[in-house]
Amino acid sequence: QDSAAAAAYLETVIDAHSNGQRKLTSATLQTLGRRLFRAGCRSFATGDLHHGIERFEGASRFLELAEENSDQLNVQAWLAYCYMIQDRPDKAKARAVAALRVAERVQPNAGDVASLMSDAAGLEEGDEGVAGMRPVTLATLMLIKAHLKLGDATEAILDDLL
C-alpha cells in the first residue's frame, strides 16, 4: 500500500514538473533519481526484484528529466540485468542499448574490447559478479545475453567485438 502511494506521488511530481506546474531544479531531480536508485538496490539486495525494478524505472525517469547521464548509465545497466533475471530479454536488450548509448556520451572508449576483457577476466561461468562490475561491462554482457536468448547469435558476437 505504501509503495503504491509513493509511486502515485512520484508520478504526480513528474507530471507537475513536465507540465510546468511545479518545475524542479535539475539538482532536485537528480537527488530524487539517486534516492530511487539506492532504494532499488536495497530492494534487489533483499530479493524483491519487482520493487527493485519499479524503483529503478522511477530513478530512470527522474534522471532523464535531470539530464543526468552518469547516474543514468548505472540505472539502465541494472534494469537490463533485472530484466534478464525476469527472463525478459527484449526489455533487457532495450535497457542495455540505452546504457551503452549513455556510456558513449559520458565515458568514451569505456566499452573497448580490452577494457571489457579485463573486467570479464575474473568471472566464473554463471557468475556475473555484478556488484563490482562497471556499468558499461554489465550492459554489454546483458546485451550479449539478450541477443543469445532472443536467438540472434550473430548480433551477440558483433556486440562482443564492438
Side-chain angles (χ1 to χ4, degrees):
Q1 182 110 359
D2 289 339
S3 179
Y9 177 72
L10 291 175
E11 284 301 316
T12 303
V13 171
I14 289 173
D15 289 344
H17 173 78
S18 297
N19 67 26
Q21 287 177 334
R22 183 170 178 188
K23 285 287 190 185
L24 300 173
T25 66
S26 182
T28 300
L29 292 166
Q30 185 176 354
T31 298
L32 291 169
R34 286 178 174 171
R35 285 184 180 176
L36 281 168
F37 177 70
R38 287 193 299 273
C41 290
R42 285 191 300 275
S43 293
F44 180 86
T46 61
D48 188 356
L49 186 60
H50 175 75
H51 285 111
I53 289 173
E54 279 184 357
R55 289 175 177 103
F56 290 149
E57 290 285 1
S60 176
R61 292 188 63 202
F62 277 103
L63 294 170
E64 185 178 317
L65 291 170
E67 298 179 2
E68 175 47 51
N69 290 319
S70 59
D71 290 324
Q72 189 69 270
L73 173 56
N74 281 327
V75 172
Q76 296 297 332
W78 272 91
L79 278 166
Y81 180 62
C82 290
Y83 285 130
M84 280 306 295
I85 291 172
Q86 284 189 328
D87 196 26
R88 296 169 74 185
D90 52 335
K91 284 191 159 268
K93 177 182 171 183
R95 293 306 184 155
V97 167
L100 294 172
R101 285 189 179 137
V102 171
E104 288 174 1
R105 291 192 301 272
V106 298
Q107 297 176 350
N109 302 320
D112 67 348
V113 175
S115 295
L116 295 173
M117 293 304 291
S118 173
D119 288 348
L123 297 179
E124 303 278 332
E125 179 64 30
D127 172 31
E128 283 96 20
V130 297
M133 192 178 287
R134 291 180 317 130
V136 70
T137 304
L138 178 59
T140 302
L141 182 60
M142 293 305 106
L143 183 57
I144 292 167
K145 285 185 171 202
H147 279 304
L148 291 172
K149 189 79 170 178
L150 293 167
D152 196 352
T154 304
E155 285 294 320
I157 292 167
L158 289 175
D159 286 336
D160 193 31
L161 295 175
L162 300 177

